Amino acid sequence: MSGERFDQATLDGWLDEDLARINDESLWKEHKKGKGDGEEVVVFVHKPKDDSFWWFKVVAPMPSATLAQANDLFDVSFAERKKEWNDLYKGGKVVEKVNDKTEVCHFQYDPAMMLMSARDVCYVKTRRDLDNGAFLLSYRSVEHEGAPVTKDFVRMELQGANLIQPRPEGGILYTYIQHLDSKVPTLVANKPLGGVMLKETEARRKALSNPIVGSQ
């Protein structure tokens, strides 16, 4: 699969869609709360009428993190550093570098519970730089010849985005939205995911303090 499939109009459409979804407060209902670095972390949920899988949004102030740290963890060294915050991460790589802001990633995960098969996912990650150093990363599942479906993994489908913004008082505001079809019954996929996302957000917060790997 060449990068020609991911024309800029398509990528811009995904980015526009995700930014609008993040900012549309009418969509989201408060679901769960947590704490991290002395700040309140909130998980919101959106339950589309025509979709059995829920959308989730995490909003987490991270007063000790910098934009440079977030840039490395979530973008520049994303594939290399994923293991720092995801306990189920088995391995993965960038299978295609489309341009300096867009790449196709393939990641594999150990089973999340007993009697469950290992999972994998293949998606495009694309970036838009915003005002004041903020940036948006959008993710869309795709098929790619560099990451064929195999019998060893069940292929998940992901749509989501990370929004990283500087805070006037210091640190960053981390916002993450996710719609994940993990190929399990919705009863298992939906309700527990809020707690999982709180746990992952705290792991990402801790990973941000690790040494920067890539060149800035």
Side-chain angles (χ1 to χ4, degrees), residues 74-92:
F74 298 123
D75 192 18
V76 175
S77 304
F78 182 61
E80 186 175 354
R81 297 187 60 187
K82 200 172 181 69
K83 62 182 180 294
E84 296 179 23
W85 55 264
N86 193 311
D87 291 340
L88 297 177
Y89 182 65
K90 188 179 183 69

Side-chain angles (χ1 to χ4, degrees), residues 164-177:
I164 312 297
Q165 300 168 284
R167 302 198 312 165
E169 62 270 43
I172 64 170
L173 180 65
Y174 171 75
T175 304
Y176 178 57
I177 59 169

